[in-house]
Amino acid sequence: MSKYIPTPKDNDGQPVFKFWLSSLKPHGKVFTPFNMISVPIMMVGIVIIVIRFVKGIGAVTNLSQDVPWGLWIGFDVVTGVAFAGGAYVVTFMVYILNIQKYKPIVRVTVLNGFLAYVFYAGALLLDLGKPWNVINPVIGNNFGVSSVLFLVAWHFLLYMIAQLIEFSPTIAEWLGAKKARKVLAGMTVGAVIFGITLSTLHQSGLGALYLMAKEKIHPLWYSEFIPILFFVSSIFAGLSMVIFEGSISQKVFFEQISEKNRKSHDGILHGLSKICGFTMLVYFFLQIVVFVHGKNWAYLGSRMGAWYLTEMIGFVIVPMILWFVAYRKRNINLVKITAVVTMIGIIINRLNITVIGFKWDAVNHYVPSWMEIVVTLTVLCFEMWIFRWIVRRMPVLRESPSWVPTDH
Amino acid sequence: MGINRRNFFRALGVTGVALSAGKELNAVPEKGNDIEFYGILYDSTRCVGCQSCEVACALAHGLPEPDPEDYPVPGTTRKANESRRTVVNSFEHEELGEIFVKSQCMHCNQPACVSACLTQAMHKTEEGPVIWRDKKCMGCRYCMVSCPFDVPKFEYHSSNPDIVKCDMCFDRIKEGELPACVGDCPAEALTFGPRRELIKEARRRIYENPDMYYDGIYGEHEAGGTGYLYLSPVPFEELGFNTRLQKKSYPELTKGFLYSVPSVFILWPAMLLGIHNATRKNSKSSDDHE
C-alpha cells in the first residue's frame, strides 16, 4: 500500500501513519444519543458472546432440540439479508439499466449491503456450534453440494467479494490511489453482474433452506414457492431499507451531502416508491396464487389464519396501496412511512416462516431470550458504528475528490 | 480501460460453471451398485418395554447410564436427547393394554439430514446407517431443521458441541456384529438384516397373523423409505407416529431449486451483460473516458 501514499491535496499532507491515526479518531461528537445507547448494549452483548463461547449456545439462547434455529438465523440472517437486497436492485438500475438518476445512492447502498453481509455472516458464526469448522465447505473435500446451505454459504462469500469490488473505488478515492481506482472502477460492471446473479440465487436460497421442513412450518406459510416469494420480496425489502437508511443519512450526515444530491433525493425516493409498489403488486399476486394453489382456506379461521390475514392485509395490501398513493401525491413523508410499514411486514413474514410458524403446533413455543435480543442489537450497533466510521471518512455520500473522472 | 473486461468475465464464467456443476443429490446410491442397505425391523407386538435397548445403547456409546426411575408411562412422551439416542415410550390401548414403541434415528434411504449437510458431516454409509462425523461438522444444525423425524440432537451446553443421534452401531456392523440394541433385546422385538429381507419378514408376520397386526409397515414408504421398519398392532398414528409425512424422499423438495442454479448462472450474466450493452448508449457520458 505504501505505493499509494495519500497525496497532500487529498489528505492534508499527512504521512501515512498519521493519516491512519487520524482516521481512527472520532470525527463527530462523542456524546451523541446513539453512542450513549449503543455503547452499553455493545458492552453487555460482548459479555454475552463470551459466555456463549465458554458455556455453549444453550447458556444464552432459548433454542431447543425442537427449534434449532431462532432469532439469530431468522432475524439476523434471513431478514437482514432481505434488507440488504437494495444493493443488487440499485446496482442493477444504475449499472445494467444505466438509469443515472439513482447514481447518488449507489455507493451508500452498496456499502450498506456489504456491511450487512459481513455482519450477518458474523452473526452466523455466533450461531455455529463449531465455528472453527466453518472453512470446511470452502476448502478441503467437504463439499456438501446437495445442500442449499452450501450454496448460500458460498454465495455469501462470493457476494461479499463482489460488493467489496463494487465499493473499492470509494476506498481508493479516500486513499488517493489514482491508479488503483482506475483498475477497480473498471471491474465494477463485472462485479455487478456477478453480484446480481449471486443475489438472485441466495435471496431465494434462504427461502429454499426451509423447503425440507415441510411438515414443521405452518401450511399457510410453507409452499414450494418460498424461494420465489423470498426473491421477489427482497426487492421491495431492500429498497425500503434504502429509503429508510437514506432518510436518516440525509439528516445525520447532512454536511456530507452536496446541495445537488440533497435536492435529487426526494425524486429518487419517489422513483423507488413506484418500483416498490409494482413489485409488491407482483408479490401480492404470487401470494394469492400460492394460497389458492395450496387449498388453505380451512386454516383461515384459526389463530394462525388471523395472523396470516394480518400479514397479508396489513403488511402487503396496505403498504402496496400506500406506495401508489405516495407516488401519485408526491408525498415524501408517506413514502418514508410506507417504507417502515413494508419493513415491519418483511420482518413479520420472515419470522413467520423461520420462528413463529416453525413448529407452531409444538407444546413449548420458542421465544427468544433477552440475551439473544441483546446480541442481535449488538451486531446491529457494530454495523452502524462501522458504517458511520466509513461514511465520515470516505466519499460515500459526499462528492468524489476532484481528480476522479466525472462519470464513475 | 485498465483491465480487460472480457478476461474478467471469462474468469467469472469459469467460477460460475465450476460452482454450479455436479449438483447431484449425494444421498442417492450410485447406479449399478446393488448393495442392499441394512436396516432394523422393530415389532411392537413383541416389545415388553424393558428398556434393555436403552441401556445397551448407552453402554455401547459411552452415554450416561439411564436413570432406572425413568421408565415409559402412558400419556407422557420421553424423547431422545443429547445424552440418550433411543427411548421407549408406552401407549395405553383399551383391548391390548400397554403398547411400547422404541424411537431413534430412522436411517432414511435418502436422508434429509445428509442432503442438508453442507460439510458432508452427515453421511449415508453404503451399509445403510446414517452416521455423523465430528471433524467435518460446523454445528449449523440445518440437519435438525430438515429431519422430518426430528432425530439429530445438539449439545447446547457444550463449548464444543456434538450432534447426537443413533448410528445403528456402524462400528459394530463393520465388524460383523449386531447393533447393541438388537443384540440385547430379550424379546426379539428387534431384527437386524438387509432391508429387503426385513420387509419380506414383516409381510410374512402380517400375513400369518392378520389379527395381531395393523396392515402396514411404517418406514416402507415414509420419507422415501427408511432403514428402520415398524410393525404395530394398531394404526400408527395411535402410537405417536407422524403419518402425515410425504412418501417421496425429502431431498426431492430442494431438488428443483438446486437444479435451477446452473441455468441461472449461465442465463443471468448473459442477459445482464446484454441489457447493460443495450442501455449504455442511453447515457452518453458513461463511456467517454474509456
Side-chain angles (χ1 to χ4, degrees), chain A residues 185-371:
Chain A
M187 292 162 74
T188 300
V189 173
V192 164
I193 289 176
F194 193 43
I196 295 168
T197 310
L198 291 169
S199 290
T200 313
L201 287 169
H202 72 243
Q203 289 287 0
S204 49
L206 281 174
L209 281 181
Y210 287 86
L211 286 178
M212 278 200 284
K214 192 181 176 188
E215 285 83 12
K216 300 183 190 181
I217 295 171
H218 193 280
L220 283 169
W221 284 278
Y222 181 90
S223 79
E224 63 265 46
F225 301 104
I226 293 182
I228 295 168
L229 293 172
F230 265 49
F231 172 68
V232 175
S233 56
S234 76
I235 296 173
F236 55 79
L239 292 182
S240 297
M241 188 49 144
V242 169
I243 293 170
F244 181 72
E245 168 275 318
S247 306
I248 293 173
S249 289
Q250 288 281 324
K251 289 208 175 74
V252 176
F253 303 110
F254 184 78
E255 75 286 349
Q256 299 256 346
I257 303 166
S258 71
E259 187 66 29
K260 194 181 107 219
N261 284 349
R262 230 176 272 157
K263 280 190 178 143
S264 69
H265 194 249
D266 282 6
I268 289 174
L269 294 198
H270 284 307
L272 294 181
S273 67
K274 195 174 158 190
I275 299 169
C276 283
F278 276 109
T279 353
M280 255 183 146
L281 187 68
V282 172
Y283 178 71
F284 176 59
F285 180 72
L286 283 172
Q287 284 282 13
I288 290 181
V289 171
V290 168
F291 177 77
V292 174
H293 183 82
K295 302 186 184 76
N296 287 327
W297 299 100
Y299 295 104
L300 285 184
S302 65
R303 261 181 73 209
M304 290 304 273
W307 181 230
Y308 174 81
L309 288 176
T310 313
E311 184 196 322
M312 284 307 137
I313 296 168
F315 295 98
V316 179
I317 298 178
V318 168
M320 180 182 82
I321 294 168
L322 288 179
W323 284 121
F324 287 119
V325 172
Y327 176 73
R328 289 298 288 272
K329 301 216 161 151
R330 292 283 188 272
N331 184 338
I332 204 72
N333 283 327
L334 189 58
V335 170
K336 289 171 188 174
I337 292 167
T338 314
V340 173
V341 176
T342 306
M343 285 167 68
I344 295 170
I346 286 293
I347 294 173
I348 290 175
N349 173 259
R350 296 304 194 260
L351 291 184
N352 276 342
I353 290 163
T354 58
V355 175
I356 299 167
F358 190 87
K359 292 277 175 81
W360 81 102
D361 51 354
V363 186
N364 296 318
H365 268 287
Y366 162 82
V367 178
S369 72
W370 67 269
M371 289 185 278

Side-chain angles (χ1 to χ4, degrees), chain B residues 66-134:
Chain B
D67 178 6
E69 299 291 304
D70 178 30
Y71 48 83
V73 179
T76 58
T77 310
R78 301 165 72 233
K79 283 183 173 176
N81 56 34
E82 61 267 46
S83 55
R84 55 183 187 196
R85 300 182 180 188
T86 181
V87 288
V88 178
N89 275 303
S90 135
F91 295 83
E92 191 65 49
H93 191 269
E94 282 174 16
E95 293 157 29
L96 302 167
E98 251 184 314
I99 304 171
F100 296 99
V101 176
K102 177 181 182 295
S103 63
Q104 70 299 304
C105 175
M106 298 292 288
H107 299 281
C108 305
N109 291 349
Q110 292 182 43
C113 59
V114 171
S115 96
C117 186
L118 73 167
T119 59
Q120 297 181 328
M122 280 292 179
H123 178 59
K124 178 76 176 170
T125 58
E126 281 190 1
E127 291 82 357
V130 177
I131 60 168
W132 172 81
R133 298 179 289 189
D134 158 53

Side-chain angles (χ1 to χ4, degrees), chain B residues 127-190:
Chain B
E127 291 82 357
V130 177
I131 60 168
W132 172 81
R133 298 179 289 189
D134 158 53
K135 292 281 186 302
K136 293 175 186 280
C137 177
M138 60 188 220
C140 70
R141 308 191 291 289
Y142 187 32
C143 50
M144 300 169 73
V145 171
S146 305
C147 174
F149 302 100
D150 281 327
V151 164
K153 306 295 175 195
F154 183 76
E155 293 179 332
Y156 280 107
H157 292 278
S158 162
S159 57
N160 182 13
D162 287 349
I163 293 285
V164 180
K165 71 179 267 306
C166 161
D167 62 356
M168 215 195 268
C169 293
F170 181 56
D171 293 336
R172 296 167 67 109
I173 292 177
K174 274 192 300 188
E175 303 290 316
E177 295 173 51
L178 286 175
C181 56
V182 178
D184 276 22
C185 180
E188 291 187 0
L190 292 163

Side-chain angles (χ1 to χ4, degrees), chain B:
Chain B
M1 228 174 105
I3 192 172
N4 185 336
R5 198 175 265 174
R6 196 156 293 173
N7 272 343
F8 184 62
F9 283 121
R10 201 168 291 152
L12 286 187
V14 170
T15 323
V17 171
L19 270 177
S20 50
K23 288 255 191 278
E24 180 70 36
L25 295 166
N26 63 2
V28 185
E30 282 173 24
K31 289 228 169 75
N33 186 352
D34 253 352
I35 296 177
E36 180 68 16
F37 288 149
Y38 282 106
I40 293 174
L41 173 65
Y42 171 82
D43 190 335
S44 65
T45 63
R46 296 185 180 184
C47 181
V48 292
C50 67
Q51 296 173 276
S52 300
C53 49
E54 291 184 21
V55 176
C57 179
L59 284 175
H61 298 107
L63 299 166
E65 212 172 303
D67 178 6
E69 299 291 304
D70 178 30
Y71 48 83
V73 179
T76 58
T77 310
R78 301 165 72 233
K79 283 183 173 176
N81 56 34
E82 61 267 46
S83 55
R84 55 183 187 196
R85 300 182 180 188
T86 181
V87 288
V88 178
N89 275 303
S90 135
F91 295 83
E92 191 65 49
H93 191 269
E94 282 174 16
E95 293 157 29
L96 302 167
E98 251 184 314
I99 304 171
F100 296 99
V101 176
K102 177 181 182 295
S103 63
Q104 70 299 304
C105 175
M106 298 292 288
H107 299 281
C108 305
N109 291 349
Q110 292 182 43
C113 59
V114 171
S115 96
C117 186
L118 73 167
T119 59
Q120 297 181 328
M122 280 292 179
H123 178 59
K124 178 76 176 170
T125 58
E126 281 190 1
E127 291 82 357
V130 177
I131 60 168
W132 172 81
R133 298 179 289 189
D134 158 53
K135 292 281 186 302
K136 293 175 186 280
C137 177
M138 60 188 220
C140 70
R141 308 191 291 289
Y142 187 32
C143 50
M144 300 169 73
V145 171
S146 305
C147 174
F149 302 100
D150 281 327
V151 164
K153 306 295 175 195
F154 183 76
E155 293 179 332
Y156 280 107
H157 292 278
S158 162
S159 57
N160 182 13
D162 287 349
I163 293 285
V164 180
K165 71 179 267 306
C166 161
D167 62 356
M168 215 195 268
C169 293
F170 181 56
D171 293 336
R172 296 167 67 109
I173 292 177
K174 274 192 300 188
E175 303 290 316
E177 295 173 51
L178 286 175
C181 56
V182 178
D184 276 22
C185 180
E188 291 187 0
L190 292 163
T191 317
F192 176 79
R195 187 171 180 270
R196 201 175 307 181
E197 301 296 317
L198 294 177
I199 290 175
K200 265 189 215 160
E201 169 65 15
R203 290 229 178 89
R204 190 185 62 78
R205 288 186 199 175
I206 297 172
Y207 181 74
E208 288 178 0
N209 289 297
D211 298 335
M212 235 175 105
Y213 290 100
Y214 169 73
D215 188 12
I217 307 166
Y218 190 86
E220 188 180 5
H221 302 297
E222 278 73 14
T226 61
Y228 246 87
L229 300 160
Y230 283 82
L231 283 173
S232 152
V234 295
F236 288 101
E237 52 269 28
E238 291 176 29
L239 300 179
F241 284 85
N242 189 346
T243 47
R244 294 181 301 146
L245 297 181
Q246 63 169 22
K247 302 283 186 246
K248 276 192 305 179
S249 82
Y250 277 73
E252 290 281 334
L253 292 167
T254 53
K255 209 171 164 180
F257 175 77
L258 287 172
Y259 279 11
S260 73
V261 170
S263 345
V264 172
F265 248 110
I266 290 163
L267 295 176
W268 249 232
M271 188 187 77
L272 294 170
L273 193 60
I275 301 175
H276 169 71
N277 283 328
T279 57
R280 191 150 51 163
K281 291 184 188 75
N282 289 348
S283 55
K284 278 183 186 168
S285 66
S286 97
D287 272 23
D288 283 353
H289 75 291
E290 288 190 358

